[in-house]
Amino acid sequence: MTPPKIIRKAREKGLQIIAITDHNSAENIPAFNALKYEDIKVFAGMEITTSEEVHVLALFEDYEEIKPLQEIVYETLEGAEFDDRLGYQLVVNEKEEILSFVKRPLIGATKLNVFEIVKLIHRYNGLAIASHIDKEVFSIISQLGFIPEDIIFDGLEVSVYTDINEAEKRFGNLKAPLIRSSDSHHLHEIGRAYTEFFINAPSLEEIRKALRGEDGRRVL
Amino acid sequence: MKISDIVKPLELESLTEDFKDREIRGAYVSDLLSDVMANARSGDVWITLQTHINVIAVATLKALPAVIITNNRRPDDETIKKANEEGVALFKTNLTTFETAGRLYQILKAG
């Protein structure tokens, strides 16, 4: 999973928009900016772990926009320094060279709760998507039983393990629209699930409109 | 066994103003609210680390008379307010979940 390989795979799978959402980190986004390609839009993202251990996807137009949130998440991550015996948390560049090893415990959780995280994502103009709500752990529903009324998600993600018709049956009554995506942790998983949007351009603003069903934009 | 019987041995600090001293039938330990919704039985005391307001909704739904939050975690005011409204006895303790559950197990088996 390096930036050039991810782009190549996404292209091969016919994806036009992808989001890079490392756990609690956005440090690998700049490498994508340094690559030269025009056919695939890359959103700057993070999969944030809240204090309840709910995973929330934060999606932003670009790296500059996500930076302030990245800093807050880093400051509030709990846990001991990451131990290399668990593997490596790498920051790489566009040439697949290792720039640094992240020592913060990205596998841990922030001190901020899901309400606070969603509010922060919105303050910095991002989209807040509840991750894999069909999963038995780390989802808003597994951790909190149901979605609290005061938390406004822009979308709810289901994993590759739930097809969209089943998802509609199980979660269709929830307020936010459903999307399905791959949650790829390995190259071969890219494109195994995806969502089609009817939009005018590959921008976060257009996706926002589609999720809200505004101006003729919609989730297909 | 009543709620008041476990306050001292489990070193509980009551967060709700006063509580109905209801009967305890057993206990359930889990930090996944979905799991509690599926598997806790009415009359169980619920031991958890979670402090979100949804804890109270799940406790009400499952007719759990008391919730114990362990490890010196403090729920926010909203959660405490909701517990007062719903008549759920809400406690915190400095003990770990293991210690809390262990002590309660012994009391329930003896009682």
Side-chain angles (χ1 to χ4, degrees), chain A residues 52 141-146 148, chain B residues 32-34 37 50 52 54 57:
Chain A
E52 305 92 342
I141 293 173
S142 71
Q143 305 307 111
L144 295 183
F146 56 93
Chain B
L32 293 179
L33 277 65
S34 54
M37 284 167 78
Q50 291 279 11
H52 193 271
N54 277 18

Side-chain angles (χ1 to χ4, degrees), chain A residues 39-163:
Chain A
D39 53 337
I40 296 170
K41 170 71 190 180
V42 178
F43 288 147
M46 268 193 276
E47 186 169 28
I48 301 172
T49 311
T50 72
S51 64
E52 305 92 342
E53 303 210 346
V54 172
H55 288 181
V56 178
L57 290 167
L59 302 183
F60 288 80
E61 183 72 36
D62 57 42
Y63 184 60
E64 286 309 308
E65 298 232 324
I66 202 171
K67 256 173 144 176
L69 186 62
Q70 155 85 91
E71 274 166 36
I72 294 169
V73 168
Y74 269 10
E75 278 165 22
T76 55
L77 273 179
E78 290 207 285
E81 189 175 274
F82 189 75
D83 188 320
D84 285 346
R85 281 176 299 183
L86 297 172
Y88 298 105
Q89 301 180 147
L90 305 178
V91 178
V92 299
N93 70 8
E94 73 281 8
K95 294 178 206 141
E96 308 181 315
E97 295 161 341
I98 296 167
L99 297 180
S100 62
F101 296 86
V102 180
K103 286 296 179 190
R104 292 173 194 271
L106 301 181
I107 55 169
T110 71
K111 275 184 256 183
L112 303 172
N113 65 33
V114 59
F115 180 79
E116 292 165 326
I117 288 293
V118 170
K119 214 167 75 177
L120 280 169
I121 294 170
H122 287 151
R123 182 190 300 164
Y124 294 112
N125 209 25
L127 295 177
I129 313 275
S131 298
H132 42 62
I133 61 168
D134 53 325
K135 280 180 112 177
E136 285 177 6
V137 285
F138 299 131
S139 90
I140 180 100
I141 293 173
S142 71
Q143 305 307 111
L144 295 183
F146 56 93
I147 301 179
E149 268 189 9
D150 58 352
I151 299 179
I152 311 300
F153 285 108
D154 300 291
L156 309 171
E157 181 206 46
V158 295
S159 74
V160 67
Y161 302 107
T162 302
D163 79 41

